[in-house]
Amino acid sequence: MVVLWLFPLLWAVYASLRPVSDTIFNGYLSWPKSLGFSNYTNFWTQADLPYFYLNTLVIVVPAVIFTLLLASMVAFCCTQFSWRFNLVVLMLFTAGNLLPAQVIIVPLYWVYLHTPIPALGSIDIGRFSRPR
């Protein structure tokens, strides 16, 4: 069972270490002439990965901080105070945590499109920005 589980992962690593030209000419099932990390360096330099990491960081860090702040305040209020909708709020937050992300991705995208955020474009206005 371990071999069946690890085989696709090892094959992906093996294929990523092969030169692209070797794979194109000889196919995936051939013995490679050389293995190296040139695909990784090309990907890092040509794909502008640091730019996209920065773009993700700008979105993720405030979202995590806001979520932790809101969730901790609600959890404190639900556990320390007895009020009328205590159980209802606790159940709503628990139900929200049980929903898989795939269920809410379409409504979240709809909300995103109907806010001013898409008009702002990306971090670097000169690159990858949407036409206005």
Side-chain angles (χ1 to χ4, degrees):
M1 195 62 164
V2 171
V3 171
L4 286 175
W5 188 81
L6 284 178
F7 181 74
L9 297 175
L10 295 174
W11 189 267
V13 170
Y14 162 73
S16 71
L17 294 174
R18 285 183 74 159
V20 177
S21 59
D22 188 32
T23 306
I24 290 172
F25 290 123
N26 301 325
Y28 282 106
L29 299 176
S30 64
W31 193 256
K33 295 188 180 28
S34 66
L35 295 175
F37 291 100
S38 62
N39 291 336
Y40 290 103
T41 57
N42 290 340
F43 174 70
W44 184 264
T45 56
Q46 293 174 4
D48 285 335
L49 215 52
Y51 168 77
F52 292 114
Y53 275 132
L54 176 66
N55 205 3
T56 301
L57 197 66
V58 167
I59 299 298
V60 169
V61 169
V64 168
I65 290 171
F66 178 71
T67 302
L68 288 174
L69 186 66
L70 181 66
S72 63
M73 288 191 294
V74 169
F76 180 80
C77 290
C78 285
T79 58
Q80 299 299 318
F81 302 116
S82 180
W83 40 290
R84 187 173 187 175
F85 298 107
N86 187 3
L87 188 60
V88 173
V89 170
L90 182 64
M91 291 175 80
L92 281 174
F93 269 80
T94 304
N97 286 330
L98 294 176
L99 281 176
Q102 294 86 352
V103 172
I104 62 172
I105 200 151
V106 171
L108 281 178
Y109 186 67
W110 185 87
V111 169
Y112 167 75
L113 288 178
H114 291 84
T115 60
I117 296 172
L120 297 175
S122 62
I123 294 172
D124 185 8
I125 299 301
R127 295 179 41 200
F128 307 112
S129 60
R130 282 177 42 154
R132 295 176 194 244

